[in-house]
Amino acid sequence: MTSTPEPGGPTTPADTTRRTDQAAAPAAPAAPAMPTASGPDAVLDRATFDRVLEPRSENRLPLGDGTWHQLARAYVWVRLISLAAMLIVVLVAATLVATFGDTAWIWIPGGLVAFVLAWAAAITPRQARSFGYQLRRDDLVFRRGILWQRMVAVPYGRMQLVDITHGPLDRAFGIAQLKLVTAAASTGVAIPGLTQDAAERLRDTLIDVAETRRTGL
Amino acid sequence: MTDPIPPFAPPPDAAVRAPLPGARSPLSDGEWHRMHPLTPLFRGGLALVVVAGIVISNLRERIVDFFLRAAVPDVPDYGDPGDPIDFVLRHNLVLLALLAVLVVVLVLIGLFYLAWRFHSFRITGDDVEVRHGVLFRSHRRSPLDRVQGVNLTRPMLARLCGMAKLEVVGAGSDANVKLEYLSTSNAEAVRADILRLASGRRLAEAQARDAAHGGSRVAAAASVVTDALTGLVLGAEQPVAEPASVVEIPLVRLVLSRVFSGRLIVLVVLIAAAVAGSIVGTPWILFTIVPMVLAFGAVFVRSITKALRYAIAPTPDGVRITYGLFTTVTEILPPGRIHAVEVNQPLIWRPAGWWAVRVNRMTGKSTSSNESDQFAEVLPVGDRRDVERVLRLLMPGMPEDQWPLVFEHGILGPAASDPYTNTPKRAWIVRPLSWRRNGFLLTPAALFLRRGVIWRSLGIFPLARLQSVGVRQGPVSRMLRVAHAHAHTITGRVSGELGGVDRDAAVRLFADAEAAAVAAGATDQSHRWAGEVVDVAEPPLPAASEHRHDDRESAQGDSGPEQRVFRDDALAGDASRGDASADGASRDGAGSGGIP
């Protein structure tokens, strides 16, 4: 474990009543308050979506049991604003080049990029609802995507570090991205758009549980 | 040469450090030791030799002239007015010039000496440390319970001088600790010590050695001189003789397998392109064949010399693999350091029935390092029996009744009553050729992925090493009600991806593999693969403190808790030195070693 945060993350009374993983932790000095699969959590589920969006086809990867925690609704706005900013930059740059450089063909790549950005913006509200994560007894399950569904399960003991990042726009909306790193590069679990409280709480819980379930590489 | 040296910091309380577990050679007694004195020569001094060589070759005519003149006095003058030596001779500056050369040489020797003085290593009960550098000091410490392997490299020149470099492989990018260079026997001793300490197995050896040596440092030091003898007498755990290889690759097979590889196809295609180009275009294109063949020939020769003298053998501390004709590399992979194994067969090898085995494991090299990862291929070529032997070495924990799953069903399959879950018929379009064969099998110990019908391969993923499990599904897969399963392991040449798995089977695999991986990870103890000792000594018993005094007087360690006390002493010694790179997280790792 390369990152060990200071103890004492936000703990609500609701959490302490919900400990079920004591037996599995052999030598835990102070068992972490752990939101388990047993139900929703006050901090993690504040201002989030309430239903995971799935593909319509019956052949999809099923949701399964357990409570899915989701992204904060503010994440959609952050995505839309940054995409709109990029779109404006591309359009302005293309207009300038086309006017002063007298090169009309700049609209071909410019238009392509603008179309991709607009498309990304159009699917953002749906895409954001497809993210979900579950804190089970021994592992974290993460899912994302509608057209391209992806599900990953990471045992707590395999986590090498937990990374929280937030840019200026994220901070303005009070959200953060949490990234989970294992020894395998292909694990690729990054949960964008958690509220900052949820991100910090999730990080602290994950580090705590990882300590008690620690395995080698 | 490698006597214990007074370290740069004054040695801490000698009484604390004096009682040491006896199971070590004097090189790993927890003191700082220097490298072999010839180290600077191999590390940077070779450049100097090259410079000297250039100078001498440039002076060749002058030397010839000198001897010629001695024999035949009236040879016409060798004359180049700008020649610096003539200038020196003409102005009677010989003494000054010689003095200058002498000063330069002395300064260089001084610098080399300084570099050597400041380059030292230390092996304590928990870490291996190296520090070097005069102006820019560097100090690297690596915890022993995270050792991923130990490599012994002997480049051609160093081998002629009886030297070797030792590399302790860590997990991570550029995480290796290099001890270069040591004399070969010292390197072997240090490697055995590191592996023994890392394994956590010290009890029996400590007793055996202490009984033989009386436990004193003098006796231990003397043992180096008679190392081979004591090794023979005591039946040392690291045999002096190399353990016999379980696989012999006949030279012919090796050469043929290297020639008939994927490269040959590339070469043939290139030659065909050149011929076609010469027919439709200018015939001069034909001449590009010559450099092409030469380049490929060089690659062939190099790949053959690298794979020559291949040997793989079991040792108490893991699998030992040796390679190389000129530069000999020996790697020891301790148990539980292999993250994935793949048996595969290029199309061209099929008539001969040859297979190759490759693994994913930590190399500790930085990703930008251009050294090729030769040891990913643990068996360069072998027939079925060889493959089976190698796999048994790599996966010692596999139950006997599961071996048919590997060969009959896995590598050669599908056979009758196929235990693998294969791609359903409706989804043949995503694996048009191999859908009958493309499948997986989950056992309590490992996940098997069987892939490919032209390039047949079988991937084996020990669940205790699995980092995470994934499934994904794109629109086409969804139409066919299939999905991709993905076993995530550390980066390497074995991929854990399997497409075209039935949706329900994939979801079940996702749940089962994850649960099995968690269970396997919880019971895995391979970071101290022989270490019951730490378990025994886990609680710091009050009785242990009494033993401590006894031990200081008698300097004899003979039971688990006392070993533990020694370790604590070593830790205290470390702390008092205040090493800058002491790593709290790694310490935790050592402390929690016994938790099942």
Side-chain angles (χ1 to χ4, degrees):
Chain A
M1 200 54 54
T2 45
S3 128
T4 313
E6 68 279 19
T11 314
T12 58
D15 306 319
T16 46
T17 60
R18 231 185 275 127
R19 290 181 196 164
T20 57
D21 59 324
Q22 294 276 308
M34 166 72 186
T36 54
S38 55
D41 180 89
V43 178
L44 294 186
D45 292 336
R46 198 167 62 225
T48 60
F49 298 111
D50 48 13
R51 195 177 64 81
V52 176
L53 205 59
E54 290 184 281
R56 271 191 293 277
S57 162
E58 273 308 304
N59 297 338
R60 67 192 175 223
L61 297 176
L63 276 180
D65 315 323
T67 318
W68 288 101
H69 304 290
Q70 288 198 266
L71 301 191
R73 290 167 192 272
Y75 169 68
V76 176
W77 293 111
V78 173
R79 275 284 286 175
L80 286 179
I81 290 173
S82 58
L83 285 173
M86 274 196 278
L87 188 61
I88 290 170
V89 168
V90 167
L91 290 181
V92 167
T95 316
L96 286 181
V97 172
T99 331
F100 296 108
D102 199 23
T103 46
W105 56 263
I106 198 68
W107 283 108
I108 298 171
L112 213 64
V113 172
F115 175 78
V116 169
L117 286 174
W119 177 256
I123 63 166
T124 291
R126 277 171 62 76
Q127 202 184 34
R129 282 179 171 79
S130 73
F131 281 87
Y133 60 95
Q134 236 179 42
L135 296 165
R136 300 198 298 197
R137 200 165 145 273
D138 295 308
D139 55 2
L140 179 139
V141 187
F142 169 77
R143 66 179 289 141
R144 62 168 295 178
I146 298 173
L147 193 60
W148 275 280
Q149 276 187 295
R150 178 164 194 268
M151 258 167 85
V152 181
V154 188
Y156 293 132
R158 296 290 185 213
M159 284 186 293
Q160 299 294 318
L161 62 98
V162 180
D163 212 10
I164 292 185
T165 49
H166 39 185
L169 194 61
D170 294 333
R171 269 200 294 279
F173 282 84
I175 64 169
Q177 187 197 58
L178 186 139
K179 198 172 158 204
L180 224 158
V181 179
T182 70
S186 46
T187 297
V189 172
I191 312 176
L194 294 165
T195 62
Q196 279 182 10
D197 285 349
E200 274 164 28
R201 180 165 150 62
L202 194 57
R203 177 195 63 195
D204 294 349
T205 356
L206 288 177
I207 295 289
D208 277 349
V209 215
E211 266 315 299
T212 62
R213 287 173 173 73
R214 173 119 133 237
T215 52
L217 281 167
Chain B
M1 152 197 67
T2 41
D3 346 294
I5 53 163
F8 311 118
D13 183 9
V16 176
R17 301 194 63 88
L20 281 152
R24 310 182 189 183
S25 74
L27 284 177
S28 53
D29 53 6
E31 301 286 348
W32 289 102
H33 294 279
R34 296 207 182 97
M35 303 294 169
H36 195 280
L38 286 180
T39 297
L41 200 66
F42 284 95
R43 281 172 61 89
L46 280 181
L48 202 70
V49 174
V50 171
V51 169
I54 291 172
V55 169
I56 288 172
S57 76
N58 279 335
L59 286 180
R60 188 191 56 197
E61 287 184 41
R62 174 159 294 278
I63 292 165
V64 168
D65 182 61
F66 177 79
F67 285 111
L68 213 61
R69 195 166 298 282
V72 197
D74 49 350
V75 167
D77 204 15
Y78 166 81
D80 176 7
D83 193 89
I85 291 179
D86 280 338
F87 178 83
V88 166
L89 286 177
R90 207 168 300 133
H91 293 77
N92 278 334
L93 295 173
V94 180
L95 211 61
L96 210 61
L98 282 181
L99 208 66
V101 169
L102 193 69
V103 165
V104 167
V105 167
L106 279 181
V107 164
L108 278 176
I109 288 177
L111 286 179
F112 280 166
Y113 174 72
L114 261 185
W116 173 73
R117 259 307 282 254
F118 279 76
H119 191 176
S120 55
F121 69 96
R122 176 169 78 166
I123 297 159
T124 66
D126 299 296
D127 305 287
V128 49
E129 294 169 70
V130 171
R131 52 185 186 185
H132 63 90
V134 181
L135 284 180
F136 297 91
R137 309 295 314 272
S138 117
H139 186 155
R140 176 170 277 206
R141 171 188 291 201
S142 168
L144 283 174
D145 67 337
R146 291 297 164 96
V147 166
Q148 300 291 315
V150 183
N151 297 350
L152 194 78
T153 310
R154 291 191 289 162
M156 191 62 183
L157 267 175
R159 214 167 99 204
L160 290 177
C161 302
M163 310 217 306
K165 63 179 172 186
L166 199 67
E167 204 172 349
V168 182
V169 180
S173 176
D174 189 23
N176 290 355
V177 179
K178 291 177 185 165
L179 308 181
E180 50 188 352
Y181 286 80
L182 299 169
S183 74
T184 306
S185 61
N186 278 343
E188 294 272 0
V190 168
R191 171 167 68 177
D193 286 335
I194 288 177
L195 284 168
R196 184 170 46 243
L197 290 170
S199 74
R201 155 169 47 84
R202 10 181 138 186
L203 200 54
E205 281 85 344
Q207 281 169 339
R209 291 255 187 137
D210 280 350
H213 298 154
S216 87
R217 293 277 296 282
V218 181
S223 79
V224 164
V225 186
T226 57
D227 207 6
L229 276 180
T230 49
L232 284 175
V233 172
L234 293 177
E237 59 296 320
Q238 206 71 39
V240 178
E242 299 216 343
S245 175
V246 299
V247 173
E248 300 288 342
I249 306 178
L251 184 64
V252 179
R253 182 191 294 173
L254 187 70
V255 172
L256 284 180
S257 75
R258 297 299 104 172
V259 170
F260 291 103
S261 62
R263 293 197 202 99
L264 184 72
I265 299 172
V266 175
L267 181 62
V268 167
V269 167
L270 282 178
I271 288 179
V275 170
S278 70
I279 291 167
V280 297
T282 153
W284 289 106
I285 292 179
L286 267 180
F287 286 97
T288 57
I289 291 177
V290 177
M292 232 154 34
V293 169
L294 282 180
F296 273 87
V299 172
F300 284 138
V301 168
R302 200 177 320 136
S303 72
I304 289 168
T305 58
K306 270 185 171 179
L308 273 175
R309 299 215 307 188
Y310 164 88
I312 181 168
T315 71
D317 289 313
V319 184
R320 173 186 182 134
I321 308 167
T322 310
Y323 264 126
L325 182 63
F326 300 119
T327 295
T328 314
V329 191
T330 311
E331 176 164 19
I332 289 196
L333 276 171
R337 262 61 172 178
I338 292 162
H339 290 243
V341 186
E342 186 181 72
V343 183
N344 65 346
Q345 181 182 56
L347 180 64
I348 234 171
W349 286 6
R350 183 177 287 201
W354 294 339
W355 305 85
V357 180
R358 56 171 69 139
V359 295
N360 278 5
R361 89 265 180 267
M362 292 283 179
T363 57
K365 299 204 167 81
S366 60
T367 41
S368 58
S369 163
N370 51 11
E371 295 167 66
S372 62
D373 184 15
Q374 183 182 5
F375 282 97
E377 201 114 287
V378 293
L379 178 66
V381 59
D383 56 22
R384 178 178 164 169
R385 274 212 319 275
D386 298 338
V387 171
E388 225 158 322
R389 285 197 200 114
V390 169
L391 288 183
R392 273 173 203 272
L393 284 187
L394 297 180
M395 291 175 298
M398 186 114 113
E400 194 56 38
D401 59 321
Q402 285 183 11
W403 282 105
L405 299 177
V406 174
F407 242 98
E408 276 79 36
H409 294 296
I411 294 171
L412 301 171
S417 72
D418 187 19
Y420 282 71
T421 311
N422 296 328
T423 302
K425 187 161 189 210
R426 63 171 187 274
W428 68 271
I429 192 81
V430 291
R431 292 287 182 277
L433 295 174
S434 67
W435 62 273
R436 271 181 238 271
R437 203 180 124 76
N438 188 62
F440 71 88
L441 173 71
L442 183 70
T443 72
L447 172 68
F448 297 80
L449 300 183
R450 183 173 71 184
R451 287 167 291 207
V453 70
I454 293 177
W455 283 273
R456 292 190 286 183
S457 85
L458 176 77
I460 306 172
F461 300 84
L463 291 174
R465 300 272 82 79
L466 210 55
Q467 299 296 320
S468 54
V469 190
V471 274
R472 61 194 175 74
Q473 188 186 48
V476 176
S477 296
R478 194 168 303 128
M479 253 157 37
L480 298 164
R481 201 181 161 84
V482 291
H484 283 261
H486 200 160
H488 300 142
T489 72
I490 57 165
T491 316
R493 286 167 68 187
V494 183
S495 144
E497 185 142 20
L498 182 75
V501 184
D502 178 54
R503 197 276 312 255
D504 295 330
V507 171
R508 224 174 311 121
L509 175 69
F510 180 69
D512 294 348
E514 176 66 11
V518 168
T523 54
D524 181 56
Q525 278 192 316
S526 48
H527 65 292
R528 288 283 197 201
W529 58 94
E532 303 86 3
V533 183
V534 186
D535 260 341
V536 175
E538 197 59 44
L541 300 165
S545 60
E546 293 166 24
H547 284 302
R548 185 186 297 232
H549 298 295
D550 298 343
D551 291 330
R552 283 200 187 144
E553 283 152 24
S554 66
Q556 236 173 0
D558 44 27
S559 83
E562 284 156 11
Q563 293 298 327
R564 177 64 183 181
V565 171
F566 290 147
R567 265 185 65 181
D568 288 343
D569 284 347
L571 281 176
D574 288 348
S576 73
R577 288 185 179 216
D579 289 314
S581 62
D583 179 353
S586 327
R587 282 267 175 266
D588 291 347
S592 67
I595 296 173

